[in-house]
Amino acid sequence: MIIRGDEPEQIRLLRKPYKKGNYFMQGNEAVAYGALFAGCRFYAGYPITPSSEIAETMAKELPKLGGYYLQMEDEIASIAAMVGASWTGFKVMTATAGPGFSLMQENLGYAVMTETPLVLVDVQRSGPSTGQATKGAQGDFFQARWGTHGDHPIIAVSPTSVEDSFWETVRAFNIAEKLRTPVVVLFDGISAHARERIRIPDPEEVEVTYRKLPANEEEAKLPFGDPHGDGVSPMPLFGHGHFTHVTGSTHKENGLRDVYTPEVHDRLVRRIHRKIEQNKHVYEKYDEHFTDDAEILVISWGVSARPSLGAVLNAREEGIKVGLFVPKTVHPFPGERVRELSKKARAILVPEMNLGQLILEVQRFVNDDVLLKGVNKVGGVPLTVEEILREIRGVA
Amino acid sequence: MAKEIYSMYPRVKYLRKEALPTALCPGCGGGTVLNAFANAVDQLKIDPRDLVVVSGIGCSAWIASPYFLADTLHTTHGRAIAFATGVKVGLPDKKVVVISGDGDLASIGGNHLIHAARRNIDITVILVNNFIYGMTGGQVAPTTPFGARTTTSPYRNIEHPLQISETVAAAGASYVARWTTAHVYQLIESIKKALTVKGFSLVEVISQCPVQFGRRNRMKEPADMLRWFLKDSVPISKARNMSPEELEGKFVIGELVNRERPEFTEELNKLIDDVQEHFGLREE
């Protein structure tokens, strides 16, 4: 059984069914192929619109690569099975939408606390509650950040197109493996169901990483230690005779529960935070367009980033000095860069498909003398170039 | 205390020394279950390195995790079987065992319990049924007998208890047995069978909780509860000829089901082989 997905035979195997070249596919399919190329060989999920094609594609493709597709009885079971499988060495993924994401939150916290690598794709749909189940939205920005309880860090990436969703999924896996942590992919129902041209690469072109394993028995005995000073503990896998104890309760470096000593909790939770903070280079990513001389700045994410770019290009043709900033990793938010850019800007627009979420993160890093304005749309229909352009003209 | 247990108990090599002594109350049935499990593992000569033990939340979840010296995964409330499903798919050649309580596995986790039985995944579940939520302070459980008193049914319980073994048997498990902590040798034999059977197996252990259940139901001493188990247990062979009225409030003990059905991880791996063969992807 090949489970690591980065061995040469896996690359040979990937080449057989997936010839490199241009394909026409849905965003959801692209996410699935991204996962396969990143080495995902275990998927546990529960169908929910608009994410179901990810499960369907995984069910069809995983067995070809010797991987496992499990349709569980609900979303809670799905993320639970993923955590179990991750501790046996699999790279694991699930996909869901808002309501399912809510159900997964408790075990997402468990994955944070037990430092279990996994990738959770949330194909955002219109809410609250059942809302417009078939329509896209960007309303889960803060559910990804603060959905589970307690003091916890989280990493979330957000693709902006079909092709981008392939690569962002690969990146999500690499971050999860490098930092031994869950990673959320904040996708959306619009890009998920859009069909576009995408280039499937040769497997050799795809960066694939695998979690740090214990170098010796000593490291294996401290599954929650920090032997390399980077906050990332080597992960002893189940079934290798290490007698590893894993618990979501506060635990010492050796994994054993200690919920009574304040220092133990403090040390553990601070390290889990520090691990994310001190490894910014692993996950921080943003795109910038025309930001050098921008007096007006558009900050947008996910599906709204493309009409935003269209609007910026049009506005530039009209001679308006406007630039675009797109955080690709939305949590932790690249606030320092936004702070720098905002110093030169007199107005900032934040287009997103909700009534104002990313804008709250932006606000934290912007001075009061900058005009900050949301361009918000709900109802399941994406923002158009024209709608954003109108707002840019309005502040020009 | 810990040192004393460590030098006197013959199955001590199966325990995580640094986690002792256990957090279980004096007189708790959990120790009997741990002892029975350790003996079953010992008698079958299972290397603990070939074991992964998964548990949920509650007193009974503590029985094997952290005390049993194997890979142990102590999970969220009710979800142990779902976690174990992922472990088993990743390690189909290992024995994956879930030990947890009735509140954990049959109440909040009831959905996972019946679906794992339906899938017939090769996991052994040892479900410790003490009729009550012990760790949270003795609240009513889905297994609390009709009429019994708990902290949240202070006048009497007006709900009917869930028959866990019957439910799991009906859902499709390969092996189902029910014993009490007063039937230790039968319990060990059943755990051994459950560990050997290919497919989903459940051993329900009726267990005493003198502190939370007994105290409020006129059975303050652990021995009172064991006497109750012995008095009200009916072997399954005898129970088959009894009416539902006669069986009201009795514990039907013995093997309910022992049958062969296709097992999930085996079928999953067969499916992968077939698909790879079909698409010419088999790596030789």
Side-chain angles (χ1 to χ4, degrees):
Chain A
M1 184 178 55
I2 304 155
I3 55 172
R4 291 181 45 165
D6 57 349
E7 283 86 350
E9 54 263 50
Q10 276 293 349
I11 289 173
R12 277 206 305 280
L13 186 55
L14 274 163
R15 270 188 195 134
K16 281 194 199 169
Y18 317 116
K19 304 273 174 284
K20 70 172 175 182
N22 291 325
Y23 290 74
F24 188 60
M25 65 169 75
Q26 258 187 2
N28 275 344
E29 292 169 315
V31 166
Y33 288 109
L36 296 173
F37 275 68
C40 174
R41 295 295 176 269
F42 183 95
Y43 181 98
Y46 187 80
I48 181 170
T49 305
S51 77
S52 299
E53 293 85 1
I54 297 177
E56 288 162 11
T57 309
M58 292 306 258
K60 186 162 63 99
E61 302 298 341
L62 268 173
K64 296 181 187 170
L65 302 172
Y68 298 90
Y69 171 85
L70 268 70
Q71 185 155 315
M72 299 301 287
E73 51 272 18
D74 57 30
E75 283 90 348
I76 302 172
S78 303
I79 183 165
M82 279 164 79
V83 171
S86 187
W87 276 94
T88 71
F90 278 116
K91 291 187 187 176
V92 299
M93 182 172 87
T94 193
T96 188
F101 193 29
S102 299
L103 291 178
M104 290 181 181
Q105 289 293 346
E106 186 196 9
N107 281 342
L108 181 62
Y110 182 90
V112 169
M113 193 60 154
T114 57
E115 300 175 69
T116 307
L118 60 84
V119 172
L120 195 170
V121 184
D122 173 25
V123 185
Q124 296 168 93
R125 70 185 211 185
S126 184
S129 189
T130 329
Q132 299 165 289
T134 59
K135 306 288 185 192
Q138 290 183 287
D140 299 349
F141 184 79
F142 282 116
Q143 187 182 194
R145 179 63 193 92
W146 297 113
T148 192
H149 59 280
D151 290 310
H152 63 87
I154 199 79
I155 295 173
V157 306
S158 190
T160 55
S161 71
V162 171
E163 172 127 30
D164 196 37
S165 70
F166 178 96
W167 292 102
E168 284 301 294
T169 306
V170 169
R171 200 164 71 86
F173 270 97
N174 290 338
I175 297 168
E177 293 290 327
K178 277 182 195 157
L179 300 185
R180 211 185 124 180
T181 190
V183 174
V184 177
V185 179
L186 276 176
F187 203 30
D188 63 89
I190 291 152
S191 319
H193 282 167
R195 288 184 183 276
E196 290 187 83
R197 193 183 73 163
I198 131 165
R199 193 183 145 270
I200 292 288
D202 185 89
E204 294 267 23
E205 297 170 44
V206 180
E207 185 205 340
V208 171
T209 53
Y210 194 75
R211 64 197 69 166
K212 191 161 45 178
L213 299 172
N216 48 49
E217 198 51 30
E218 226 152 88
E219 282 189 13
K221 288 286 169 227
L222 297 173
F224 304 93
D226 185 9
H228 305 287
D230 57 355
V232 187
S233 323
M235 185 167 174
L237 303 177
F238 283 176
H240 292 262
H242 299 310
F243 298 145
T244 306
H245 180 56
V246 181
T247 172
S249 295
T250 296
H251 42 269
K252 294 175 282 192
E253 284 72 7
N254 64 6
L256 280 183
R257 188 173 184 269
D258 179 351
V259 300
Y260 304 107
T261 317
E263 292 75 25
V264 170
H265 185 81
D266 185 280
R267 201 162 66 222
L268 172 64
V269 176
R270 281 186 200 274
R271 180 179 57 75
I272 291 175
H273 275 85
R274 196 183 69 233
K275 174 170 80 170
I276 305 301
E277 281 155 19
Q278 82 184 62
N279 288 293
K280 212 180 244 182
H281 61 280
V282 173
Y283 58 81
E284 189 162 86
K285 188 181 173 189
Y286 45 80
D287 286 348
E288 290 186 26
H289 305 269
F290 314 109
T291 46
D292 296 345
D293 63 342
E295 293 163 2
I296 301 166
L297 191 62
V298 177
I299 301 181
S300 191
W301 64 293
V303 61
S304 300
R306 283 172 92 187
S308 294
L309 179 59
V312 166
L313 289 170
N314 277 292
R316 278 272 160 185
E317 274 181 20
E318 292 174 17
I320 303 171
K321 284 194 171 168
V322 56
L324 173 67
F325 179 83
V326 180
K328 300 300 287 290
T329 299
V330 293
H331 298 302
F333 184 66
E336 289 313 313
R337 183 60 189 150
V338 167
R339 195 194 300 279
E340 273 169 48
L341 291 173
S342 72
K343 282 178 191 155
K344 296 178 292 182
R346 58 183 168 77
I348 296 178
L349 298 175
V350 185
E352 49 184 335
M353 283 185 71
N354 57 43
L355 293 181
Q357 298 195 15
L358 173 75
I359 194 168
L360 296 175
E361 279 288 57
V362 173
Q363 198 172 28
R364 297 200 293 137
F365 298 96
V366 173
N367 290 333
D368 286 348
D369 55 351
V370 179
L371 171 71
L372 179 63
K373 194 165 181 244
V375 183
N376 307 100
K377 190 173 180 182
V378 289
V381 184
L383 282 157
T384 63
V385 170
E386 191 50 46
E387 282 165 342
I388 300 166
L389 184 57
R390 204 158 46 219
E391 295 293 332
I392 295 173
R393 285 190 196 121
V395 293
Chain B
M1 179 72 172
K3 204 177 161 194
E4 205 173 300
I5 298 170
Y6 205 73
S7 60
M8 287 171 65
Y9 179 56
R11 301 282 169 262
V12 77
K13 60 178 175 175
Y14 295 108
L15 301 186
R16 214 173 238 126
K17 185 166 115 188
E18 60 275 29
L20 293 172
T22 77
L24 305 173
C25 306
C28 173
T32 308
V33 177
L34 178 56
N35 194 9
F37 178 63
N39 274 288
V41 168
D42 191 70
Q43 289 176 27
L44 289 173
K45 297 190 168 55
I46 296 172
D47 187 335
R49 281 173 294 199
D50 294 329
L51 262 178
V52 181
V53 187
V54 186
S55 66
I57 295 293
C59 308
S60 306
W62 280 66
I63 291 171
S65 157
Y67 305 122
F68 202 87
L69 188 59
D71 286 326
T72 41
L73 186 62
H74 206 119
T75 69
T76 47
H77 192 29
R79 317 301 169 196
I81 292 174
F83 280 87
T85 300
V87 173
K88 183 66 193 181
V89 170
L91 299 169
D93 301 329
K94 306 280 179 194
K95 302 262 183 219
V96 178
V97 181
V98 172
I99 303 183
S100 214
D102 52 305
D104 187 59
L105 292 172
S107 183
I108 179 170
N111 199 29
H112 311 304
L113 182 64
I114 56 175
H115 284 282
R118 169 181 69 83
R119 259 176 220 123
N120 202 30
I121 185 165
D122 186 21
I123 293 171
T124 297
V125 176
I126 300 175
L127 188 153
V128 184
N129 180 359
N130 59 6
F131 323 112
I132 202 149
Y133 286 87
M135 198 167 268
T136 44
Q139 295 84 9
V140 73
T143 45
T144 304
F146 190 83
R149 281 167 212 270
T150 71
T151 53
T152 48
S153 60
Y155 306 112
R156 66 177 185 276
N157 178 27
I158 53 163
E159 294 180 17
H160 302 280
L162 180 71
Q163 300 301 325
I164 293 166
S165 288
E166 284 78 358
T167 305
V168 172
S174 270
Y175 180 84
V176 177
R178 183 195 279 124
W179 294 104
T180 80
T181 44
H183 300 85
V184 179
Y185 291 96
Q186 296 93 324
L187 177 61
I188 294 172
E189 288 308 309
S190 260
I191 294 175
K192 279 162 67 182
K193 258 195 210 169
L195 285 168
T196 328
V197 161
K198 188 165 274 301
F200 190 79
S201 52
L202 171 85
V203 180
E204 180 185 351
V205 193
I206 308 279
S207 175
Q208 75 274 22
C209 174
V211 172
Q212 299 291 10
F213 186 86
R215 175 157 65 103
R216 298 190 175 85
N217 292 280
R218 297 190 190 137
M219 287 173 285
K220 229 165 111 182
E221 297 299 321
D224 296 339
M225 295 201 73
L226 291 172
R227 275 192 281 272
W228 171 41
F229 297 161
L230 286 172
K231 183 169 78 62
D232 278 0
S233 289
V234 180
I236 188 155
S237 52
K238 203 175 154 195
R240 288 202 175 104
N241 302 316
M242 288 167 71
S243 67
E245 290 74 35
E246 287 174 300
L247 284 171
E248 186 69 43
K250 302 280 190 223
F251 312 116
V252 178
I253 52 168
E255 278 180 15
L256 280 77
V257 163
N258 189 0
R259 63 188 164 197
E260 271 183 41
R261 288 180 80 213
E263 191 273 327
F264 180 72
T265 52
E266 249 182 35
E267 293 301 313
L268 199 50
N269 282 301
K270 256 190 246 168
L271 178 102
I272 289 169
D273 284 348
D274 292 348
V275 170
Q276 291 199 324
E277 174 100 52
H278 176 80
F279 288 99
L281 296 167
R282 190 70 72 62
E283 286 287 306
E284 299 305 337

